[in-house]
Amino acid sequence: MKIEINNECFPPRKYYVEIEPQFTEFTKLCRVLPVTYFDEPNTTFFLKAKYLPGEKKTFPSGGFELYGPEGSTHNFDLDQVIVHPYNLRMMNYFSKSESTVKDKVVKVMGDGGKRGRPRKNLEGYVKPAYVPTGGKKGRKKMSDEDRALRDVKLSEKKINSTGKKGRPRKQLL
């Protein structure tokens, strides 16, 4: 399978040439790959309908109607669409192009800037060494006097409450 460009028409259009027969076996709602998105194989397109020449007025020379990303509808000529290799269980078909994309993403994210952005001043930057402060972690223990005051306040509250949550009831005299 090859991709060629027709420069005689405007705008220039890409199309597939020498397509293997396994890439032309279309079924309803199968995953397809338009030629314009060949470099982006993870973009999903599904077949809506295939029209032969003269079958529909809007496709005089035949064509495909596809569901694109986000549910949009796209139209392509008969020689611009194939069955997606992932649909045919060919998972390693785009292995070279995908690995270069992943390397670029990792390279951008790993430069050490904040939130994935690259660091602005790489020259002369020295990472500061960690200096332990010696402070203790967690909540400090309550002293005995504070604990006694807290217990007294809690016992006073319990006398006036009914044991239920919410606003306390008025006491009858």
Side-chain angles (χ1 to χ4, degrees):
M1 170 178 38
K2 297 179 183 176
I3 298 174
E4 292 187 3
I5 300 174
N6 183 3
N7 291 326
E8 296 174 6
C9 60
F10 183 80
R13 74 180 205 54
K14 295 180 180 179
Y15 60 95
Y16 290 111
V17 180
E18 301 174 13
I19 304 171
E20 290 88 19
Q22 61 189 1
F23 291 109
T24 58
E25 298 173 3
F26 298 100
T27 58
K28 185 84 174 171
L29 294 176
C30 70
R31 188 170 175 187
V32 293
L33 181 62
V35 71
T36 53
Y37 293 91
F38 188 81
D39 296 330
E40 303 168 18
N42 294 329
T43 308
T44 55
F45 286 91
F46 296 98
L47 180 66
K48 180 179 179 182
K50 177 182 178 180
Y51 300 108
L52 298 175
E55 194 173 329
K56 190 173 179 184
K57 291 179 184 178
T58 55
F59 295 96
S61 60
F64 291 97
E65 259 186 311
L66 308 178
Y67 291 119
E70 302 172 6
S72 57
T73 304
H74 298 264
N75 300 326
F76 293 96
D77 291 333
L78 285 173
D79 58 353
Q80 289 185 311
V81 177
I82 60 169
V83 176
H84 201 291
Y86 291 171
N87 203 39
L88 299 172
R89 310 274 192 275
M90 296 179 174
M91 298 304 171
N92 297 329
Y93 196 80
F94 298 102
S95 61
K96 292 180 182 177
S97 61
E98 286 181 7
S99 64
T100 57
V101 170
K102 288 179 184 175
D103 291 341
K104 289 179 183 176
V105 171
V106 170
K107 194 173 189 181
V108 170
M109 297 300 285
D111 281 341
K114 292 185 179 179
R115 298 182 184 165
R117 295 187 297 268
R119 186 175 303 281
K120 290 182 180 179
N121 299 329
L122 293 175
E123 297 178 13
Y125 176 75
V126 177
K127 187 175 180 180
Y130 174 73
V131 179
T133 59
K136 294 183 179 180
K137 296 181 181 178
R139 191 173 183 172
K140 294 180 181 177
K141 285 191 172 184
M142 187 181 281
S143 66
D144 292 335
E145 296 139 7
D146 292 338
R147 188 182 309 274
L149 283 172
R150 185 194 65 188
D151 291 341
V152 169
K153 288 181 182 177
L154 285 175
S155 64
E156 288 174 4
K157 275 188 179 179
K158 287 182 182 177
I159 293 172
N160 295 336
S161 69
T162 60
K164 296 182 179 178
K165 294 180 180 178
R167 189 172 176 181
R169 295 179 77 186
K170 292 182 181 178
Q171 290 184 352
L172 298 173
L173 296 176

